[in-house]
Amino acid sequence: MSAPFTMKPLPYADDALSPVVNAGTIGFHYGKHHTTYLNNLNNLLANDPLKDKSLVEVIRAVAGKADKAGIFNNAAQVWNHDFYWDSLRPNGGGKPTGKMADLIKDSFGDYDKFKADFAAACVGQFGSGWAWLCLEGGKLTIRKTPNAETPLTVDGVKPLLTIDVWEHAYYLDWQNRRPDYANAVIDKLLNWEFAEKNLG
């Protein structure tokens, strides 16, 4: 799919993630912030040769190019948000089973260590950004990225799940309590089926 890009529908109702992420937050986050990134991207690509590329191709083509920072920031934020909505599901979270459970044991020792490390990445990302669970060289890793940065641009890294730690992702529900938001998402919303699908 190439530009103009359209909003990917949410995979659940606006209130389906309550009380961790409430309908009001979804309304602003998906309805305003995410939509604005998409509209900005389409405007920036209107007369750009990149408009014939897929979203991922656009992101990779402009990553690290100062003169294309506007395109990168908006394209990456569209992709990151699409990925974030899919990383969550109602009645999700907790310990995974199957292949993901085996990978967590192999990569972190146990689920509690994984949870502590993932929450620490969420809390430790200074300012706006993202925490990611990735696959690298057959092992799970945790990364954090600032602003619109994404593991998509790093060779050999496959993102599996993400948690958005921009303030607009949690401030209406949690105010300044980012650690509580991160732990609640991990405990109650992570979509392990999506992560397993991303293993390929």
Side-chain angles (χ1 to χ4, degrees), residues 20-21 84 115-132 143-147 162-187:
V20 180
V21 180
Y84 170 65
K115 182 186 165 181
D117 288 358
F118 202 23
C122 293
V123 176
Q125 171 51 44
F126 183 76
S128 300
W130 304 82
W132 303 85
R143 289 174 165 258
K144 53 188 181 181
T145 60
N147 302 318
T162 194
I163 298 178
D164 187 343
V165 293
W166 282 63
E167 282 193 342
H168 61 238
Y170 63 88
Y171 213 83
L172 290 178
D173 300 318
W174 298 91
Q175 284 74 52
N176 61 332
R177 304 194 319 275
R178 190 193 283 188
D180 293 345
Y181 156 74
N183 280 295
V185 169
I186 295 167
D187 286 341

Side-chain angles (χ1 to χ4, degrees), residues 41 67 91 99 131 141 150 152 172 199:
L41 176 62
D67 61 327
N91 305 310
K99 195 169 181 184
T141 60
T150 172
L152 267 187
L172 290 178
L199 288 172

Side-chain angles (χ1 to χ4, degrees), residues 63-85:
K65 295 183 178 172
D67 61 327
K68 299 284 189 181
I71 291 176
F72 174 80
N73 287 334
N74 286 284
Q77 283 292 80
V78 169
W79 189 89
N80 289 354
H81 278 89
D82 285 343
F83 198 80
Y84 170 65
W85 303 126

Side-chain angles (χ1 to χ4, degrees), residues 37 39 45 80 100 110 119 132 151 199:
Y37 296 128
N39 292 337
L45 288 177
N80 289 354
M100 287 305 304
D110 60 29
W132 303 85
L199 288 172

